[in-house]
Amino acid sequence: QVTLVESGGGVVQAGGSLTLSCTAARYRETVNTMGWYRQPPGKQRDLVATITTGDIANYADSVKGRFTISRDNANDTVYLQMNSLEPEDTAVYYCNAHWTRWGADFTSWGQGTQVTVSS
């Protein structure tokens, strides 16, 4: 079982920046692609960005050029640097990790961290 612990959410004014981090606590599991999703109030959870162990990143169109995802494989940690934040970025942000053990694939989610962007 892989447990994800997130940090870094908060309240920021439009145009500001925040950095989220998420660390995977594991035993013998292999952590593969990690990513961030977000769920605005009353809406569904959507992809923000993902990153493979080889640092191949994928972004939602709405955050391209403003957000940067990165990871530290040695510490099983993924980061989301968010710049030029907009009120529309307000959401609960969830960390996600795909991991492997016993030849099978699994997915874990973090508990979520609130990001609020004020206008």
Side-chain angles (χ1 to χ4, degrees):
Q1 178 74 13
V2 171
T3 301
L4 303 177
V5 179
E6 303 151 341
S7 62
V11 179
V12 64
Q13 288 190 329
S17 299
L18 279 175
T19 300
L20 306 181
S21 64
C22 169
T23 298
R26 63 180 180 90
Y27 179 49
R28 295 182 182 274
E29 298 83 0
T30 299
V31 178
N32 302 310
T33 297
M34 301 183 75
W36 292 93
Y37 290 71
R38 67 186 181 185
Q39 187 166 17
K43 296 185 178 181
Q44 67 181 21
R45 188 179 301 185
D46 289 325
L47 170 74
V48 176
T50 61
I51 187 166
T52 68
T53 54
D55 287 335
I56 297 174
N58 177 56
Y59 297 93
D61 288 342
S62 59
V63 306
K64 283 181 180 177
R66 300 189 298 123
F67 291 10
T68 302
I69 190 170
S70 60
R71 68 186 288 168
D72 176 355
N73 289 325
N75 293 298
D76 293 320
T77 299
V78 64
Y79 304 94
L80 186 67
Q81 174 68 44
M82 304 183 292
N83 298 327
S84 301
L85 282 161
E86 304 167 352
E88 292 73 24
D89 296 316
T90 295
V92 177
Y93 284 69
Y94 294 92
C95 180
N96 171 273
H98 294 271
W99 51 278
T100 304
R101 191 169 179 194
W102 307 296
D105 296 321
F106 302 89
T107 300
S108 290
W109 291 92
Q111 78 283 2
T113 186
Q114 178 69 47
V115 172
T116 301
V117 184
S118 61
S119 57

